[in-house]
Amino acid sequence: CSCQYVTGTVDCRGAHLSQIPANLSVTTEYLDFTNNSISNVSRGALDALQGLQYLMLDRNDIAYIEWDSFRALTRLSELHLDHNSLTDARKEMFSGLGRLSLLSLSSNELETFTFLYAKDLDYLKILKLDRNKIARIPAGAFNGLINLRYLHLEFNQVTYLEAWTFAGLWSLELLYLNGNRISHTSYQAFAELQSIRALYLDANNLENISFEVFKNVKTVHLALHLSHNPWHCDCDLQRTFSKIYQVTRLSIADYSNITCHNPTELRDVPMGSVRLCIAELVTILIITATVILATIAAIFRAANSRKRKLMRTRHCHVRDY
């Protein structure tokens, strides 16, 4: 193969490789196979590289990774598999990677995945699953990634967030869910995120959302990103945003960019300039005042009616005398 060798580094970018070569130096620490035609990673192909710390397999044709293919790479820190053809990602593919801090699977064809109880990945800090075809995130799918800090799930096809979707992610700080199709979320979806600092829900299909979704997040401070959703601007939504601002540990980072989509007369109007709750309150007060006035008027009419009857009765008594 036409790879470039420098002490500890093997550069095989664009070397027209269809498989991982067998003659790699055992002292290799940095290995780059970007932009080749490798279609799979087979068990044993990398076993000799026990000192490897960085492995780049971006922009190949990888559709299959045999279980335990990376088991010998106990010192591996970063594994890049972006822009391949993987449809599934399971913890068994990454067994043995006890020192892995970054796993990138961006821009594949992923539809399913599970890292449930992935004990070998408990050192992982960054997981990138963005730009795939993920439509559902099973509850507890990440349970076991106790040190994960950054989770990228943006630009997938997720429509609903189940209860306990992110259970076990106690160290998670940044969660990217922007660019999906999320229209509903369980009150308990984010309940166990104790360290979350920023939650990106912008550019989804949210028309409304309950304050309870964020109320259950126990963190020091959480910045929410909610713009570019088709919000239905009504008093309930405005009340939700108002409650968020009343909680000191919550804020909306992009509030100035949030606009109404419905009703039609408010389309593209900034949410911050709409005073729906005030209008609703005024309407309620007017209705209440109208009812009170009508009641008072009815009481007066009844009193006047009784007075007239009493006067007629007295007049009749006078005539009898």
Side-chain angles (χ1 to χ4, degrees):
C1 67
S2 55
C3 299
Q4 303 297 318
Y5 293 84
V6 181
T7 304
T9 299
V10 178
D11 184 354
C12 296
R13 289 176 295 176
H16 306 289
L17 299 174
S18 59
Q19 61 183 10
I20 296 174
N23 59 342
L24 297 170
S25 171
V26 296
T27 61
T28 302
E29 296 180 353
Y30 185 101
L31 179 56
D32 194 344
F33 285 124
T34 300
N35 198 23
N36 280 283
S37 301
I38 299 170
S39 60
N40 66 81
V41 181
S42 57
R43 190 182 297 111
L46 297 164
D47 282 1
L49 307 179
Q50 296 183 15
L52 193 64
Q53 297 180 35
Y54 301 92
L55 177 56
M56 315 296 172
L57 286 161
D58 300 336
R59 297 186 182 279
N60 279 274
D61 298 320
I62 298 172
Y64 181 67
I65 298 174
E66 288 188 14
W67 291 9
D68 297 334
S69 292
F70 305 112
R71 178 170 289 278
L73 307 183
T74 56
R75 295 184 61 191
L76 194 68
S77 177
E78 295 187 11
L79 175 56
H80 297 259
L81 287 157
D82 302 342
H83 295 278
N84 279 288
S85 302
L86 292 167
T87 59
D88 186 22
R90 297 184 178 275
K91 61 183 180 182
E92 291 84 1
M93 295 178 181
F94 310 105
S95 58
L97 299 178
R99 299 297 297 173
L100 194 69
S101 63
L102 184 152
L103 174 57
S104 187
L105 293 158
S106 303
S107 300
N108 274 271
E109 304 291 327
L110 292 179
E111 297 179 359
T112 60
F113 69 93
T114 178
F115 295 95
L116 181 64
Y117 305 125
K119 295 181 180 179
D120 287 344
L121 294 175
D122 60 3
Y123 193 76
L124 196 65
K125 303 293 192 301
I126 303 171
L127 177 58
K128 302 185 72 175
L129 298 169
D130 54 291
R131 293 170 173 81
N132 280 284
K133 296 181 178 180
I134 299 168
R136 178 177 177 264
I137 306 173
F142 304 101
N143 202 335
L145 304 182
I146 58 175
N147 288 303
L148 194 69
R149 295 181 181 176
Y150 307 101
L151 177 55
H152 291 263
L153 285 160
E154 64 266 33
F155 299 106
N156 276 284
Q157 300 172 15
V158 180
T159 59
Y160 175 69
L161 296 177
E162 303 175 14
W164 315 111
T165 296
F166 304 102
L169 296 180
W170 304 311
S171 301
L172 193 68
E173 297 179 14
L174 302 182
L175 176 54
Y176 296 88
L177 289 162
N178 49 297
N180 276 275
R181 302 173 184 176
I182 300 168
S183 59
H184 297 87
T185 177
S186 165
Y187 290 173
Q188 301 295 333
F190 309 112
E192 289 200 3
L193 300 181
Q194 302 173 4
S195 304
I196 191 76
R197 294 188 291 109
L199 173 57
Y200 294 83
L201 284 166
D202 45 311
N204 275 283
N205 288 336
L206 292 167
E207 295 184 8
N208 52 67
I209 198 163
S210 172
F211 173 68
E212 300 298 321
V213 172
F214 309 115
K215 179 183 177 182
N216 293 319
V217 182
K218 307 302 181 184
T219 185
V220 175
H221 183 262
L222 173 59
L224 301 169
H225 295 257
L226 299 169
S227 63
H228 300 97
N229 278 286
W231 294 112
H232 183 88
C233 291
D234 57 13
C235 193
D236 287 339
L237 182 63
Q238 198 164 34
R239 190 178 294 112
T240 294
F241 287 168
S242 177
K243 288 180 179 179
I244 289 172
Y245 272 109
Q246 290 172 17
V247 179
T248 55
R249 59 185 171 81
L250 298 176
S251 66
I252 303 175
D254 56 352
Y255 187 70
S256 61
N257 294 326
I258 295 177
T259 58
C260 302
H261 184 73
N262 283 308
T264 306
E265 58 269 22
L266 293 177
R267 184 159 297 174
D268 298 326
V269 175
M271 184 67 183
S273 66
V274 177
R275 296 292 180 266
L276 291 171
C277 285
I278 293 176
E280 183 184 80
L281 178 60
V282 170
T283 301
I284 292 172
L285 290 174
I286 291 173
I287 293 172
T288 303
T290 302
V291 171
I292 292 172
L293 290 174
T295 303
I296 293 172
I299 292 171
F300 272 111
R301 285 195 298 271
N304 288 334
S305 178
R306 285 196 298 272
K307 186 182 293 185
R308 285 195 296 271
K309 287 181 180 179
L310 181 60
M311 290 178 66
R312 283 198 298 270
T313 302
R314 289 178 178 176
H315 182 67
C316 289
H317 288 167
V318 170
R319 289 179 59 186
D320 290 341
Y321 283 109

